[in-house]
Amino acid sequence: MATEAAAGPSARLPSSPARRDFYWLRSLLAGGVAGCCAKTTIAPLDRVKILLQAHNRHYKNLGVISTLRAVPKKEGYLGFYKGNGAMMIRIFPYGAIQFTAFGQYKKMIKQKLGISGHIHRLMAGSMAGITAVICTYPLDMVRARLAFQVKGDHTYTGIIHAFKTIYTKEGGLQGFYRGLTPTVVGMAPYAGFSFFTFGTLKSVGLAQAPTLLGKPCLDNPDVLVLKTHVNLLCGGIAGAIAQTISYPLDVTRRRMQLGAILPESEKCLTMVQTLKYVYGNHGIQKGLYRGLSLNYIRCIPSQAVAFTTYEFMKQFLHLN
């Protein structure tokens, strides 16, 4: 009894705040690493998507496959990674904020609003995606501008020069948030359905076929986690569903981000104007959903790697 009384307070009181602090740091690290791994995997496809979405004049009449062939011929294989430095600077805090915020929002919705089950995943995912995108949007803007450039036709010499140019020529801080509205509107269903689909598939799979689909967690054997190949499959399905729902708004966002360097910039000042312009001039298939086939190829492995890496990092950093 004496040992228990002495050990109890001394073990609990000092460790609880420290554990909470380290939990936040570990959670942020896990999300950041997951985001970086996912985006590095599909960086070449991401570059081609931006070129096609905004109808870059150097690749205007090309499709997905022909653009994939044309980029290394015109810009070398490193051309596939143009703007990727800015992407990594953006995606680490983006992934860190998104995954950590998802966990916190999920707890808050359950405790404060009394909402649980599958619907709170949808709500928490949407809120986490919006939080992450608002915090990191200027970096996404700069990354899009750098990725849109073609060798021999440069407006910006690098990340810092792009920041300075946008700030001085496009209205200060306001210039960094051009296209934020369609991004937020598009991110709500994208992140929401992504987390919702993955979480639902995971919980249903482990409940219905724990032996077939699950395995003991590395840091907590009492917790079941999905096997790696099942994780990849669930993440891929989540990415495909989420991307289909939100893709037209993603096209609108890119158009608005690139507006100042596109000839039709005065026609794409607001989200509604941009949607009308793209639909009126290019239609649905070649406008609002241009590049979607490529996006399936990129978003499925991206989400698969993101969720799988995060699940592994949770075990590695003892977050379960």
Side-chain angles (χ1 to χ4, degrees), residues 46-309:
D46 227 15
R47 170 91 201 285
V48 171
K49 185 193 80 165
I50 291 175
L51 294 172
L52 291 179
Q53 278 185 336
H55 295 80
N56 185 289
R57 63 188 181 88
H58 295 277
Y59 303 98
K60 190 172 183 179
N61 299 314
L62 301 180
V64 173
I65 302 300
S66 51
T67 303
L68 283 168
R69 290 173 180 166
V71 168
K73 290 179 181 177
K74 186 173 182 63
E75 305 178 64
Y77 283 100
L78 289 179
F80 283 126
Y81 291 89
K82 187 166 287 185
N84 198 53
M87 171 58 83
M88 289 300 101
I89 294 171
R90 168 193 169 258
I91 205 63
F92 187 89
Y94 178 88
I97 293 168
Q98 186 182 43
F99 279 103
T100 303
F102 173 71
Q104 297 304 310
Y105 282 135
K106 198 165 65 166
K107 290 178 186 175
M108 184 186 75
I109 291 169
K110 191 173 183 179
Q111 292 172 0
K112 303 291 184 183
L113 303 180
I115 299 173
S116 59
H118 299 309
I119 194 67
H120 81 307
R121 290 195 194 100
L122 183 64
M123 294 173 65
S126 297
M127 293 165 68
I130 290 170
T131 301
V133 85
I134 290 174
C135 291
T136 61
Y137 193 78
L139 287 165
D140 189 40
M141 164 73 81
V142 170
R143 184 255 167 179
R145 294 288 180 90
L146 293 174
F148 188 70
Q149 295 185 136
V150 174
K151 189 175 182 180
D153 186 17
H154 281 198
T155 304
Y156 313 106
T157 57
I159 297 172
I160 295 174
H161 181 247
F163 268 108
K164 288 180 179 178
T165 305
I166 294 170
Y167 183 82
T168 55
K169 294 185 177 181
E170 298 183 37
L173 291 175
Q174 185 179 352
F176 290 109
Y177 285 91
R178 180 169 180 157
L180 179 62
T181 301
T183 304
V184 169
V185 173
M187 181 51 66
Y190 178 78
F193 278 100
S194 187
F195 278 104
F196 167 78
T197 304
F198 180 81
T200 301
L201 290 173
K202 178 182 176 181
S203 62
V204 171
L206 291 177
Q208 298 298 320
T211 306
L212 179 64
L213 303 179
K215 63 179 182 179
C217 180
L218 294 176
D219 63 319
N220 187 351
D222 295 330
V223 175
L224 273 182
V225 295
L226 292 175
K227 293 177 180 177
T228 302
H229 67 282
V230 181
N231 248 326
L232 289 167
L233 179 62
C234 291
I237 293 171
I241 292 173
Q243 195 61 232
T244 303
I245 293 170
S246 63
Y247 193 74
L249 290 164
D250 188 42
V251 172
T252 303
R253 169 177 68 110
R254 287 297 184 208
R255 278 269 172 177
M256 292 184 72
Q257 283 182 333
L258 300 169
I261 57 175
L262 292 175
E264 65 273 11
S265 60
E266 72 283 352
K267 299 175 183 177
C268 301
L269 297 176
T270 67
M271 183 178 76
V272 175
Q273 280 183 340
T274 307
L275 280 168
K276 286 181 177 178
Y277 175 81
V278 174
Y279 175 73
N281 287 270
H282 304 289
I284 295 177
Q285 185 177 350
K286 294 184 178 180
L288 296 176
Y289 280 93
R290 178 177 168 85
L292 180 61
S293 58
L294 173 67
N295 227 42
Y296 280 136
I297 297 170
R298 61 174 285 282
C299 80
I300 291 174
S302 173
Q303 289 299 92
V305 170
F307 280 114
T308 303
T309 304

